[in-house]
Amino acid sequence: MRNVIVGKDKITIDSGYFFARGVFETILVKDKPIFLDEHINRLNNGINTLQIGELVEVEDINNIIKDFNIKNCVLKIVVTEKNMVLETRELVYKSGDYLIGFSLKVAGTLKNSTSKLTYIKSMNYLENLLEREEALKEGYNEVIFLNEKGYVCEGSLSNIFIVKDGIILTPEVKSGLLPGVVRDYVIKNFQVVEKEINLDEVMNADEIFITNSLLGIMGVSKFENRILTENKITIKIREEYESKIENRRGV
Protein backbone atom coordinates (compact mmCIF):
# COMPACT_ATOMS: atom_id res chain seq x y z
CA MET A 1 0.00 0.00 0.00
CA ARG A 2 1.39 3.40 -1.01
CA ASN A 3 1.31 6.62 0.96
CA VAL A 4 -1.06 9.03 -0.77
CA ILE A 5 0.30 12.56 -0.50
CA VAL A 6 -1.70 15.57 -1.66
CA GLY A 7 0.08 18.88 -1.37
CA LYS A 8 2.98 19.27 1.03
CA ASP A 9 3.83 16.22 3.11
CA LYS A 10 6.63 13.76 3.71
CA ILE A 11 7.38 10.93 1.31
CA THR A 12 8.76 7.54 2.24
CA ILE A 13 12.25 7.04 0.83
CA ASP A 14 12.25 4.29 -1.80
CA SER A 15 13.79 3.40 -5.17
CA GLY A 16 11.95 6.35 -6.68
CA TYR A 17 14.16 8.67 -4.62
CA PHE A 18 17.37 6.66 -5.02
CA PHE A 19 17.06 5.54 -8.66
CA ALA A 20 14.17 7.57 -10.18
CA ARG A 21 12.22 4.33 -10.44
CA GLY A 22 8.80 5.84 -10.86
CA VAL A 23 6.29 7.23 -13.34
CA PHE A 24 4.18 10.36 -13.60
CA GLU A 25 1.31 11.94 -15.49
CA THR A 26 0.46 15.60 -15.99
CA ILE A 27 -3.27 16.19 -16.46
CA LEU A 28 -5.26 19.23 -17.49
CA VAL A 29 -8.18 19.78 -15.11
CA LYS A 30 -11.05 22.09 -16.04
CA ASP A 31 -14.33 21.54 -14.21
CA LYS A 32 -13.21 17.92 -14.31
CA PRO A 33 -10.01 16.19 -15.51
CA ILE A 34 -9.53 15.89 -19.27
CA PHE A 35 -8.79 12.39 -20.65
CA LEU A 36 -8.34 10.98 -17.12
CA ASP A 37 -8.89 7.36 -18.18
CA GLU A 38 -6.24 7.65 -20.89
CA HIS A 39 -3.72 9.20 -18.48
CA ILE A 40 -4.26 6.55 -15.81
CA ASN A 41 -4.00 3.75 -18.39
CA ARG A 42 -0.61 5.12 -19.46
CA LEU A 43 0.45 5.55 -15.83
CA ASN A 44 -0.43 1.92 -15.14
CA ASN A 45 1.48 0.76 -18.19
CA GLY A 46 4.54 2.46 -16.73
CA ILE A 47 3.90 0.89 -13.32
CA ASN A 48 3.81 -2.54 -14.95
CA THR A 49 6.95 -1.87 -16.99
CA LEU A 50 8.93 -0.76 -13.93
CA GLN A 51 7.32 -3.40 -11.67
CA ILE A 52 6.63 -0.96 -8.84
CA GLY A 53 3.49 -2.41 -7.33
CA GLU A 54 -0.27 -2.12 -7.52
CA LEU A 55 -2.02 -0.23 -10.27
CA VAL A 56 -3.81 3.09 -9.78
CA GLU A 57 -7.60 3.17 -9.96
CA VAL A 58 -9.33 5.94 -11.90
CA GLU A 59 -12.05 6.06 -9.24
CA ASP A 60 -9.49 6.74 -6.50
CA ILE A 61 -8.02 9.68 -8.44
CA ASN A 62 -11.50 11.03 -9.16
CA ASN A 63 -12.33 10.87 -5.46
CA ILE A 64 -9.18 12.78 -4.53
CA ILE A 65 -9.99 15.43 -7.14
CA LYS A 66 -13.48 15.82 -5.70
CA ASP A 67 -12.40 15.77 -2.05
CA PHE A 68 -9.76 18.47 -2.58
CA ASN A 69 -11.90 20.44 -5.07
CA ILE A 70 -9.17 20.32 -7.74
CA LYS A 71 -10.23 22.23 -10.86
CA ASN A 72 -8.99 24.74 -13.46
CA CYS A 73 -5.35 23.80 -12.98
CA VAL A 74 -2.65 21.28 -13.85
CA LEU A 75 -2.56 18.08 -11.79
CA LYS A 76 0.64 16.06 -11.59
CA ILE A 77 0.59 12.51 -10.26
CA VAL A 78 3.89 10.81 -9.38
CA VAL A 79 3.92 7.11 -8.47
CA THR A 80 6.80 5.13 -6.96
CA GLU A 81 6.91 1.89 -4.96
CA LYS A 82 5.80 3.47 -1.68
CA ASN A 83 4.34 6.84 -2.64
CA MET A 84 1.70 8.47 -4.78
CA VAL A 85 2.16 12.24 -4.78
CA LEU A 86 -0.39 14.66 -6.25
CA GLU A 87 0.49 18.32 -6.80
CA THR A 88 -1.31 21.13 -8.60
CA ARG A 89 -0.07 24.21 -10.40
CA GLU A 90 -1.35 26.95 -12.65
CA LEU A 91 -1.50 26.44 -16.41
CA VAL A 92 1.12 28.78 -17.88
CA TYR A 93 0.12 28.73 -21.56
CA LYS A 94 -1.94 31.74 -22.67
CA SER A 95 -4.01 32.50 -25.76
CA GLY A 96 -1.24 34.76 -27.10
CA ASP A 97 1.12 31.78 -27.30
CA TYR A 98 -1.09 30.19 -29.95
CA LEU A 99 -1.17 33.37 -32.02
CA ILE A 100 2.63 33.58 -32.05
CA GLY A 101 3.35 29.84 -32.30
CA PHE A 102 6.33 27.96 -30.92
CA SER A 103 9.91 27.90 -32.17
CA LEU A 104 11.74 24.56 -32.29
CA LYS A 105 15.31 23.40 -32.67
CA VAL A 106 16.96 19.98 -32.95
CA ALA A 107 18.43 18.52 -29.76
CA GLY A 108 22.11 17.71 -29.49
CA THR A 109 21.28 14.41 -27.75
CA LEU A 110 19.87 11.35 -29.52
CA LYS A 111 16.93 9.28 -28.24
CA ASN A 112 17.42 5.54 -27.85
CA SER A 113 14.57 3.77 -29.64
CA THR A 114 15.59 0.45 -28.02
CA SER A 115 15.19 1.69 -24.42
CA LYS A 116 12.11 0.66 -22.42
CA LEU A 117 12.21 4.04 -20.70
CA THR A 118 11.61 5.84 -23.99
CA TYR A 119 8.07 4.46 -24.14
CA ILE A 120 6.87 5.32 -20.63
CA LYS A 121 6.56 8.61 -18.76
CA SER A 122 9.22 7.83 -16.18
CA MET A 123 10.95 9.99 -13.58
CA ASN A 124 14.15 9.60 -15.64
CA TYR A 125 13.35 12.88 -17.35
CA LEU A 126 16.50 14.89 -16.77
CA GLU A 127 17.88 14.52 -20.31
CA ASN A 128 14.69 16.06 -21.70
CA LEU A 129 14.82 18.93 -19.22
CA LEU A 130 18.49 19.72 -19.86
CA GLU A 131 18.00 19.83 -23.63
CA ARG A 132 14.91 22.02 -23.29
CA GLU A 133 16.70 24.41 -20.93
CA GLU A 134 19.48 24.82 -23.50
CA ALA A 135 16.88 25.55 -26.18
CA LEU A 136 15.17 28.14 -23.96
CA LYS A 137 18.49 29.91 -23.42
CA GLU A 138 18.85 30.17 -27.21
CA GLY A 139 15.37 31.67 -27.56
CA TYR A 140 13.48 28.53 -28.64
CA ASN A 141 10.36 27.15 -26.95
CA GLU A 142 10.95 23.44 -27.48
CA VAL A 143 13.53 20.95 -28.68
CA ILE A 144 13.01 17.99 -31.04
CA PHE A 145 14.98 14.75 -30.67
CA LEU A 146 16.29 12.46 -33.38
CA ASN A 147 16.85 8.78 -32.62
CA GLU A 148 20.07 6.81 -33.06
CA LYS A 149 19.13 6.12 -36.71
CA GLY A 150 18.66 9.81 -37.51
CA TYR A 151 14.85 9.78 -37.60
CA VAL A 152 12.69 12.36 -35.84
CA CYS A 153 10.93 11.03 -32.75
CA GLU A 154 9.55 13.58 -30.26
CA GLY A 155 10.02 16.80 -28.34
CA SER A 156 11.25 17.16 -24.78
CA LEU A 157 7.64 17.51 -23.64
CA SER A 158 5.62 17.03 -26.81
CA ASN A 159 4.83 14.95 -29.86
CA ILE A 160 5.42 16.39 -33.32
CA PHE A 161 3.27 16.39 -36.48
CA ILE A 162 4.04 17.77 -39.91
CA VAL A 163 1.77 18.62 -42.84
CA LYS A 164 2.94 18.22 -46.43
CA ASP A 165 0.67 18.70 -49.46
CA GLY A 166 -2.38 18.42 -47.20
CA ILE A 167 -1.23 15.12 -45.63
CA ILE A 168 -0.69 14.94 -41.85
CA LEU A 169 2.29 12.83 -40.79
CA THR A 170 3.79 11.93 -37.42
CA PRO A 171 6.69 9.69 -36.34
CA GLU A 172 5.67 6.11 -35.64
CA VAL A 173 6.00 4.94 -32.05
CA LYS A 174 8.89 2.55 -32.75
CA SER A 175 11.01 5.55 -33.76
CA GLY A 176 11.36 6.11 -30.01
CA LEU A 177 8.64 8.24 -28.52
CA LEU A 178 6.15 8.41 -25.70
CA PRO A 179 2.66 8.05 -27.25
CA GLY A 180 0.93 11.18 -25.99
CA VAL A 181 -2.73 11.38 -25.05
CA VAL A 182 -3.36 14.31 -27.42
CA ARG A 183 -1.26 12.58 -30.11
CA ASP A 184 -3.66 9.65 -29.88
CA TYR A 185 -6.62 12.02 -30.12
CA VAL A 186 -5.29 13.55 -33.35
CA ILE A 187 -4.58 10.14 -34.88
CA LYS A 188 -8.06 8.85 -34.02
CA ASN A 189 -9.91 11.92 -35.27
CA PHE A 190 -7.97 12.89 -38.39
CA GLN A 191 -6.30 11.05 -41.25
CA VAL A 192 -2.71 10.73 -40.05
CA VAL A 193 0.14 8.73 -41.55
CA GLU A 194 2.52 7.26 -38.96
CA LYS A 195 5.95 6.64 -40.47
CA GLU A 196 9.67 7.12 -40.06
CA ILE A 197 10.30 10.81 -40.68
CA ASN A 198 13.72 12.25 -41.46
CA LEU A 199 14.92 15.75 -40.68
CA ASP A 200 14.65 16.92 -44.30
CA GLU A 201 10.93 16.12 -44.28
CA VAL A 202 10.44 18.33 -41.25
CA MET A 203 12.56 21.12 -42.72
CA ASN A 204 10.44 21.06 -45.91
CA ALA A 205 7.04 20.68 -44.24
CA ASP A 206 4.22 23.09 -45.09
CA GLU A 207 3.06 23.13 -41.47
CA ILE A 208 4.37 21.79 -38.17
CA PHE A 209 2.53 21.46 -34.89
CA ILE A 210 3.24 19.85 -31.55
CA THR A 211 0.91 18.32 -28.97
CA ASN A 212 0.73 17.53 -25.29
CA SER A 213 -1.97 17.45 -22.64
CA LEU A 214 -1.34 21.00 -21.44
CA LEU A 215 -0.58 22.69 -24.77
CA GLY A 216 -3.25 20.84 -26.67
CA ILE A 217 -2.39 21.70 -30.30
CA MET A 218 0.40 24.27 -30.70
CA GLY A 219 1.42 25.54 -34.12
CA VAL A 220 5.09 25.98 -34.94
CA SER A 221 6.15 29.30 -36.46
CA LYS A 222 9.89 28.56 -36.61
CA PHE A 223 11.93 25.38 -37.00
CA GLU A 224 15.66 25.97 -36.59
CA ASN A 225 16.21 28.99 -38.91
CA ARG A 226 13.15 28.41 -41.09
CA ILE A 227 10.03 30.56 -40.64
CA LEU A 228 6.69 28.84 -41.28
CA THR A 229 3.66 30.86 -42.34
CA GLU A 230 1.12 28.17 -43.28
CA ASN A 231 -1.18 27.01 -40.47
CA LYS A 232 -4.66 26.36 -41.89
CA ILE A 233 -4.75 22.65 -41.06
CA THR A 234 -3.16 23.23 -37.65
CA ILE A 235 -5.81 25.82 -36.77
CA LYS A 236 -8.61 23.48 -37.92
CA ILE A 237 -7.27 20.65 -35.74
CA ARG A 238 -6.81 22.95 -32.74
CA GLU A 239 -10.32 24.39 -33.02
CA GLU A 240 -11.87 20.93 -33.21
CA TYR A 241 -9.74 19.70 -30.31
CA GLU A 242 -10.63 22.66 -28.09
CA SER A 243 -14.31 22.19 -28.89
CA LYS A 244 -13.96 18.51 -27.99
CA ILE A 245 -12.40 19.09 -24.56
CA GLU A 246 -14.95 21.80 -23.75
CA ASN A 247 -17.65 19.21 -24.41
CA ARG A 248 -15.86 16.85 -22.00
CA ARG A 249 -15.93 19.32 -19.10
CA GLY A 250 -18.82 17.51 -17.50
CA VAL A 251 -17.46 14.02 -18.18
Side-chain angles (χ1 to χ4, degrees):
M1 182 69 70
R2 295 187 183 93
N3 298 318
V4 178
I5 303 163
V6 183
K8 296 181 179 179
D9 207 335
K10 295 179 180 179
I11 67 168
T12 300
I13 300 299
D14 62 6
S15 63
Y17 177 84
F18 286 115
F19 305 111
R21 191 168 187 167
V23 289
F24 73 96
E25 285 292 322
T26 308
I27 303 168
L28 177 64
V29 183
K30 291 183 175 287
D31 291 339
K32 294 191 177 181
I34 304 300
F35 295 124
L36 182 62
D37 287 357
E38 291 86 345
H39 281 288
I40 300 305
N41 285 341
R42 189 171 64 178
L43 188 76
N44 285 331
N45 177 59
I47 289 171
N48 278 330
T49 299
L50 297 183
Q51 301 179 36
I52 53 174
E54 69 272 16
L55 302 182
V56 174
E57 297 292 335
V58 173
E59 183 179 358
D60 292 339
I61 301 301
N62 256 325
N63 288 336
I64 292 171
I65 289 170
K66 291 176 184 177
D67 291 344
F68 286 86
N69 194 29
I70 296 171
K71 60 175 58 180
N72 298 318
C73 64
V74 176
L75 173 64
K76 184 171 184 177
I77 305 172
V78 182
V79 178
T80 62
E81 291 173 295
K82 298 179 181 179
N83 304 283
M84 181 168 72
V85 180
L86 295 92
E87 287 278 2
T88 61
R89 68 176 189 265
E90 183 182 355
L91 181 65
V92 298
Y93 303 117
K94 307 300 181 185
S95 58
D97 295 324
Y98 297 89
L99 294 174
I100 297 169
F102 267 22
S103 57
L104 276 55
K105 65 163 294 187
V106 177
T109 303
L110 300 178
K111 282 282 183 176
N112 181 3
S113 66
T114 68
S115 171
K116 291 180 180 179
L117 295 181
T118 298
Y119 302 98
I120 62 172
K121 205 171 181 72
S122 82
M123 291 169 62
N124 291 267
Y125 217 64
L126 188 56
E127 190 169 76
N128 288 38
L129 295 179
L130 291 174
E131 285 289 345
R132 182 168 181 267
E133 287 169 2
E134 282 296 316
L136 292 174
K137 288 177 184 177
E138 296 177 28
Y140 293 89
N141 300 106
E142 171 64 312
V143 65
I144 297 297
F145 289 93
L146 306 181
N147 66 18
E148 75 282 3
K149 299 175 184 177
Y151 290 110
V152 175
C153 45
E154 63 180 351
S156 68
L157 45 72
S158 64
N159 292 120
I160 184 170
F161 292 78
I162 66 172
V163 181
K164 185 65 176 178
D165 297 328
I167 300 172
I168 307 167
L169 304 102
T170 196
E172 56 190 359
V173 173
K174 73 176 185 179
S175 291
L177 60 90
L178 177 73
V181 169
V182 180
R183 175 186 184 272
D184 288 345
Y185 164 84
V186 174
I187 290 171
K188 289 175 181 176
N189 288 275
F190 299 89
Q191 290 188 333
V192 178
V193 177
E194 296 179 76
K195 64 183 286 289
E196 290 182 325
I197 296 176
N198 61 46
L199 189 55
D200 284 343
E201 289 176 278
V202 181
M203 293 297 295
N204 293 306
D206 299 326
E207 299 181 38
I208 304 172
F209 63 92
I210 59 174
T211 63
N212 71 27
S213 294
L214 305 185
L215 280 172
I217 315 294
M218 174 62 75
V220 173
S221 56
K222 181 181 178 183
F223 187 82
E224 290 284 342
N225 293 321
R226 185 187 169 213
I227 304 299
L228 292 100
T229 57
E230 291 292 325
N231 57 11
K232 290 181 182 179
I233 292 177
T234 300
I235 290 174
K236 178 177 183 287
I237 294 171
R238 183 172 71 243
E239 288 176 346
E240 292 190 24
Y241 170 76
E242 290 176 352
S243 175
K244 176 78 171 182
I245 65 171
E246 284 302 312
N247 291 335
R248 290 175 65 107
R249 289 170 72 99
V251 174

